[in-house]
Amino acid sequence: MSAKAMPKASAAEVEAIEKNHFKAVAHDVLRDWRLYVLLLPMMFFLLCWKYFPIASMISSFKYMPTTDSSFGGGSFTALWNGLDNFRYLFAQPDFWAAFRNTFVLSFYGLVFGFPFPIILALFFNEIRLKAVRSIAQVFSYLPKFISVVVMTNLIGMLLKSSNPQTGVVAGIIGGLFENIGVFDLTSNPGAFRSIYIISDIWEGAGYGSIVYFAAILGISPTSYEAARIDGASKMQQLLYVTIPGMAGTLVIMLILRIGNLLSVGYEKVYLLQQLGKAGSTWSTSQTVSTYVINVVMSSSSVHKGIGSAADLFNSLLSMFLVLGSNSIARKMSNTSLF
């Protein structure tokens, strides 16, 4: 029977279907109520830290002097000033320098940092002894659970030195080059991006490999058996079985990574800035988030609404990056987030 010849459901039938649907949903919720209770803390977290702060975006269009100590309600009682905050912000060369640094740091992290978890997962998959693989995975995950403060202190111990004979890296460089004199890599603007990217890879590569390793485990063993029967080598199995088998996961993770291309967290960047001399690395380390802290929030002549405008502008661009990358991925590979 064609779609045009199919009889339409009456209003009573539609109402009965909807009632049965809601009954089935209620039955599932009551049956698995323990699981839904476990969701409550996460829902509370999302509401308090992800959704409620959205209301404060209106401060981007208001005048909020730094002398105003009110919290929360200040953004609702302040005076409207339209797009003046954005006009002021876009006229500042320092903001565009921070925006450029944010993009460069994220782009380097995407180019150099995105492949590392994939390569690590492929290595883990080739380890046949489960005990050895488990130990290797645990040690690769550990840096993720080190506090950012502790990590920056470790970086400072390795790279910051007023005497070339103190500190690990300082001692090595001092031994190789006797006449190098006093040096401090943490105050060198040219070294900041390398320090940030290398430490970021060290911290997140092992933890990020979990997703890709799970995708590899989801590939059917029969695919590898068929490839071996056809005479495929290890490299050919990798290229024609493993990589295509985890292609969906790769696309999704790449979309998420592109969406975060302009979202460089302020914690690590700010702490690395504090290792060097005051403002010595700002030319390459100042990002949008640290620009808000170092320039906007610390200056009495610039009000807090401009800081909110900077964050809103950054968030809007990130949203368009997610939508664009998701649309391109859907057209090219039929895999997308939504």
Side-chain angles (χ1 to χ4, degrees):
M1 184 181 291
S2 63
K4 294 182 179 179
M6 292 180 63
K8 294 183 179 180
S10 63
E13 290 175 338
V14 172
E15 185 178 357
I17 292 172
E18 291 179 350
K19 285 183 179 180
N20 291 332
H21 173 71
F22 289 125
K23 286 181 180 179
V25 171
H27 178 266
D28 292 339
V29 171
L30 291 175
R31 183 188 60 192
D32 301 324
W33 66 270
R34 296 173 184 84
L35 298 177
Y36 290 97
V37 170
L38 292 176
L39 282 176
L40 291 179
M42 181 58 66
M43 296 299 297
F44 178 78
F45 172 82
L46 289 175
L47 287 174
C48 292
W49 278 272
K50 299 297 181 181
Y51 287 96
F52 288 161
I54 294 177
S56 63
M57 287 195 306
I58 62 173
S59 60
S60 303
F61 308 96
K62 291 192 173 188
Y63 176 76
M64 301 181 63
T66 54
T67 55
D68 184 8
S69 60
S70 59
F71 179 78
S75 58
F76 296 98
T77 58
L79 297 176
W80 293 93
N81 65 349
L83 298 176
D84 289 348
N85 295 338
F86 293 94
R87 295 191 186 98
Y88 174 87
L89 191 67
F90 295 158
Q92 304 301 313
D94 290 343
F95 169 74
W96 291 112
F99 180 80
R100 182 183 66 250
N101 290 334
T102 302
F103 179 80
V104 170
L105 278 177
S106 297
F107 182 75
Y108 284 171
L110 177 64
V111 172
F112 298 106
F114 184 74
F116 265 86
I118 302 171
I119 297 171
L120 203 57
L122 294 174
F123 280 142
F124 289 151
N125 185 55
E126 295 301 322
I127 301 176
R128 297 309 172 197
L129 293 177
K130 291 185 178 181
V132 176
R133 184 171 62 193
S134 298
I135 293 172
Q137 286 178 314
V138 168
F139 276 99
S140 67
Y141 302 159
L142 285 179
K144 184 65 177 179
F145 301 98
I146 298 177
S147 169
V148 179
V149 178
V150 175
M151 179 184 297
T152 51
N153 285 331
L154 289 174
I155 294 172
M157 291 172 60
L158 292 173
L159 304 179
K160 183 177 181 180
S161 176
S162 58
N163 187 331
Q165 302 305 320
T166 62
V168 178
V169 176
I172 295 174
I173 297 177
L176 294 175
F177 306 97
E178 296 181 357
N179 299 324
I180 193 171
V182 177
F183 71 99
D184 184 1
L185 288 175
T186 59
S187 297
N188 186 348
F192 179 85
R193 289 170 180 167
S194 299
I195 294 172
Y196 181 89
I197 298 301
I198 293 173
S199 61
D200 204 44
I201 293 173
W202 174 73
E203 177 190 9
Y207 191 79
S209 67
I210 296 175
V211 176
Y212 304 108
F213 185 66
I216 294 174
L217 293 179
I219 300 174
S220 175
T222 57
S223 300
Y224 291 102
E225 293 177 3
R228 284 193 294 268
I229 292 173
D230 290 339
S233 63
K234 279 288 183 181
M235 183 57 66
Q236 289 173 331
Q237 292 177 35
L238 174 66
L239 294 177
Y240 299 110
V241 178
T242 306
I243 299 298
M246 57 189 301
T249 302
L250 292 176
V251 171
I252 295 299
M253 298 303 293
L254 183 61
I255 293 172
L256 294 175
R257 192 64 182 261
I258 293 175
N260 291 324
L261 202 59
L262 297 176
S263 301
V264 177
Y266 74 91
E267 301 94 342
K268 184 178 175 181
V269 176
Y270 185 77
L271 291 171
L272 287 175
Q273 287 177 345
Q274 306 310 307
L275 288 177
K277 299 176 182 178
S280 59
T281 61
W282 279 16
S283 60
T284 57
S285 68
Q286 189 79 297
T287 61
V288 173
S289 55
T290 57
Y291 172 83
V292 173
I293 297 174
N294 291 326
V295 178
V296 177
M297 303 303 291
S298 62
S299 175
S300 59
S301 61
V302 182
H303 64 87
K304 293 181 285 188
I306 295 175
S308 299
D311 280 335
L312 179 58
F313 175 72
N314 203 48
S315 299
L316 287 175
L317 288 181
S318 298
M319 181 188 70
F320 288 123
L321 283 173
V322 170
L323 295 176
S325 59
N326 185 77
S327 178
I328 294 173
R330 185 171 59 249
K331 292 179 179 179
M332 295 183 64
S333 64
N334 294 325
T335 302
S336 61
L337 284 172
F338 47 86

